[in-house]
Amino acid sequence: QKWYRHRRLLTPGFHYDILKSYLQEIADSTRIMLNKWELLSTNVKSVELYHHLSLMTLDSILKCAFSYHSNCQIESHNSYIQAVYELGFLASHRFKVFHHHYDLIYYFTRDGYRFRKACDLAHEHTDRVIRQRK
């Protein structure tokens, strides 16, 4: 029942007619990624795809959801992107360590401190983007 209600709320957001308006933004992000791959293919034999795909995904989401052109695929060494990667790593690591499942314990660990710091940085960036949009 809960799943059905959530699906009914989300489905209209992914309707073809709605996504069609974002096609150009997603194509631009994909083009940037493919151009980077083309440059890399002349220098190296193999390319780690995760980093490039996650940056392209982030770039597309920022463009489509916030109308924010971040240049994150080109300038991938900014603090926001590092915080997003840090949060992903820490969430994955927390899932693997049983005693980190409890918030009270986790927040007193070094990883908990890093998590809060990365969350604060990500929230600051998001708040800045929202303020720019107003």
Side-chain angles (χ1 to χ4, degrees):
Q1 191 67 314
K2 185 177 180 181
W3 174 85
Y4 179 75
R5 187 174 63 241
H6 287 164
R7 180 171 167 82
R8 201 177 66 212
L9 288 171
L10 285 174
T11 300
F14 294 97
H15 190 273
Y16 177 74
D17 291 335
I18 292 173
L19 292 177
K20 196 182 339 179
S21 64
Y22 298 115
L23 190 61
Q24 187 60 46
E25 300 290 347
I26 295 170
D28 291 342
S29 296
T30 305
R31 198 171 300 112
I32 292 170
M33 181 184 67
L34 292 175
N35 289 339
K36 283 174 57 178
W37 285 0
E38 201 170 304
L39 291 172
L40 286 171
S41 68
T42 60
N43 300 335
V44 294
K45 292 182 182 178
S46 64
V47 175
E48 174 60 44
L49 298 181
Y50 174 79
H51 178 70
H52 297 282
L53 286 172
S54 61
L55 286 176
M56 189 271 299
T57 303
L58 179 63
D59 193 27
S60 297
I61 290 171
L62 288 172
K63 286 177 181 177
C64 295
F66 296 110
S67 299
Y68 180 75
H69 296 271
S70 67
N71 260 352
C72 68
Q73 291 191 73
I74 298 165
E75 301 165 4
S76 63
H77 295 292
N78 71 37
S79 58
Y80 174 69
I81 293 171
Q82 298 306 321
V84 169
Y85 280 129
E86 179 87 353
L87 288 170
F89 169 77
L90 290 170
S92 171
H93 186 260
R94 183 178 184 185
F95 182 73
K96 296 174 190 173
V97 179
F98 179 72
H99 63 276
H100 283 183
H101 292 194
Y102 301 100
D103 290 340
L104 184 62
I105 295 171
Y106 184 68
Y107 290 144
F108 286 110
T109 65
R110 187 179 329 163
D111 284 350
Y113 173 76
R114 287 171 50 199
F115 184 82
R116 286 192 312 275
K117 191 174 178 179
C119 273
D120 289 345
L121 203 147
H123 288 163
E124 286 173 17
H125 178 75
T126 305
D127 291 343
R128 193 176 331 116
V129 169
I130 291 170
R131 275 194 308 274
Q132 287 177 356
R133 293 269 339 250
K134 287 185 177 182

